[in-house]
Every structure is written in C-alpha cells, then in structure tokens.
Amino acid sequence: MYHSVDDCRDDPYGVTVTPARLDAQLGWLRRRGLRGVSVAELLAARARGTARGLVGLTFDDGYADFTEHALPLLRRWGCGATLYVLAGRLGGDNAWDELGPRKPLLTADGVRRAAAEGVEIGSHGLTHTDLTRAGDRALRAETAASRDRLTELTGTAVTGFCYPYGRVDARAVDAVRAAGYGYACAVDPGPLTGPYALPRVHIGQRDTAVRLLLKTRLHRLRRRPAAGV
C-alpha cells in the first residue's frame, strides 16, 4: 500500500516515499523473483492458481505525482499497479489531511493517462469520507456514484474499491458489494477479511530491504488469508 511518491521532507502522516526509495523497493521485489501487479490481475491469477511470485501494488488517493514519478518506475521494473482515485476530487488536493501539506491530485486527463498505460483504476470513493460514519445517502454516493463516474471517465468497468483511511465495517462492505464492485481493499480488517475487505501492508520511506523482508513475514503472521479469493 503506497500513497504519494515525491519529496517526503514535509510528511506528517508518513504517506510519502521518494522516487529513489520506490525505485529501490521495486528493485528489491524483482531481485527476489517477485513482480508487482494490479489487484485485479493478482486476484485473477489466484483464481487460476498462478499467483506465485505476484505482489499486488496499490497507490491510494490518486496523487498527481503518480504519473510523474511512480509510473516511470513501474515501467522500468516491469510492474503493474492499481491506482485508487477520488472521483469527486479530480484536479483538487488532499484537503482531508488537516496537517498538510497540500498535494495536488490527478486531473481527469491524468487518470486517463494512467489507465492508458495499463494501470488498473479503482475507486477510493468521492471525497475521502470515512464510510463507517457515513449516512445511507452518502454511503451510496461514495460507492455507487464514484464507480459510475470512473467507469464513464475511463471507458472501462471499475471493479475495485479502496476504503478511505482503511476503515471498514459490515455496512460498508455491503454497500460496496451492492454497488457492483468485484473486490475491495482495506488495511487490517480482522474478521471481515475476504474479497470485500482485503488486507494490505503499508510501505513507507523507512522501508529498506531488511524492513521489507520483516514486513512480508509479519504480514503473513498477523493477517489471516482472505477466504474466497
């Protein structure tokens, strides 16, 4: 689970990795015989029994620096990824991060460019709203309306959803399923773990080769496998 790829000196939430760090992390994967892919590709491979050596790479929020910094590195290392964007904030910024700094988000053209490069486009909702606190109307908009907008934008059915802040409950899972998504990503969903609450591990600037190895092993121990995928 990645977010922004840029200068990380002003990063109060710890969600930014520098291009050099991402380059090193992707290289680490490839040297270990692993290849980063989109979540859709990973799930399809698991269904066929051919997922060995594949790692799902996700980038949340749809920062504009994705096409500038992350995309060239993904191409360099022969990796795919899923980009979860906020359909209601295209061309805006990360206003939900109260401490800042303000980071620009991809425009509609930027999202289309990423899609044209083979990146899977998924929904992160409309406005980065905590779905566990949303009313019924807002919940439908954040899930169903965001999918409709992104499908129209990309010309391709959007099958993946990512819960803002990683927060999920049974009601949010039901709304995502009802909206027509095929899967959804969380962070550490506990007993909800499954196709609509896939666990992920956060990767940050401090994650060197040793830390990546430890996180890989701890992830397997701390998070039970997702049933049904």
Side-chain angles (χ1 to χ4, degrees):
M1 177 179 62
Y2 289 97
H3 291 79
S4 174
V5 182
D6 204 354
D7 186 332
C8 67
R9 286 174 291 184
D10 187 5
D11 183 30
Y13 295 99
V15 296
T16 307
V17 298
T18 63
R21 181 65 76 197
L22 177 61
D23 185 46
Q25 290 165 345
L26 295 178
W28 180 86
L29 284 176
R30 296 302 264 159
R31 286 189 295 274
R32 293 180 63 83
L34 305 172
R35 181 169 65 90
V37 297
S38 69
V39 178
E41 182 175 346
L42 177 63
L43 295 178
R46 287 195 60 164
R48 297 190 303 267
T50 60
R52 185 177 179 83
L54 301 183
V55 178
L57 299 181
T58 63
F59 292 79
D60 292 7
D61 302 332
Y63 290 104
D65 55 46
F66 178 83
T67 53
E68 180 179 2
H69 297 310
L71 195 52
L73 292 173
L74 291 169
R75 285 199 303 261
R76 175 187 177 189
W77 290 104
C79 292
T82 301
L83 177 66
Y84 295 111
V85 302
L86 295 156
R89 291 190 184 272
L90 299 179
D93 62 29
N94 58 328
W96 63 90
D97 285 337
E98 295 180 0
L99 299 180
R102 297 280 73 85
K103 287 176 172 281
L105 304 178
L106 287 168
T107 63
D109 285 343
V111 173
R112 281 190 286 261
R113 177 188 167 193
E117 293 274 356
V119 174
E120 179 194 10
I121 303 300
S123 174
H124 203 28
L126 286 176
T127 59
H128 209 280
T129 294
D130 180 351
L131 299 190
T132 65
R133 298 183 178 183
D136 291 344
R137 183 174 180 179
L139 187 57
R140 286 193 297 272
E142 293 289 335
T143 54
S146 67
R147 182 172 187 259
D148 291 343
R149 289 195 197 183
L150 293 177
T151 296
E152 182 178 1
L153 174 64
T154 63
T156 303
V158 173
T159 61
F161 188 86
C162 176
Y163 299 99
Y165 306 102
R167 297 171 189 160
V168 58
D169 57 15
R171 180 168 162 268
V173 167
D174 289 343
V176 169
R177 184 187 293 109
Y181 294 95
Y183 76 85
C185 285
V187 180
D188 194 0
L192 290 173
T193 296
Y196 289 94
L198 296 170
R200 296 178 297 166
V201 59
H202 168 73
I203 303 298
Q205 179 65 16
R206 297 176 57 200
D207 290 321
T208 58
V210 172
R211 285 173 59 91
L212 286 173
L213 182 61
L214 290 174
K215 280 192 171 184
T216 299
R217 293 179 176 176
L218 287 173
H219 181 75
R220 293 170 181 165
L221 294 173
R222 292 178 56 215
R223 295 169 172 86
R224 63 188 182 89
V229 297

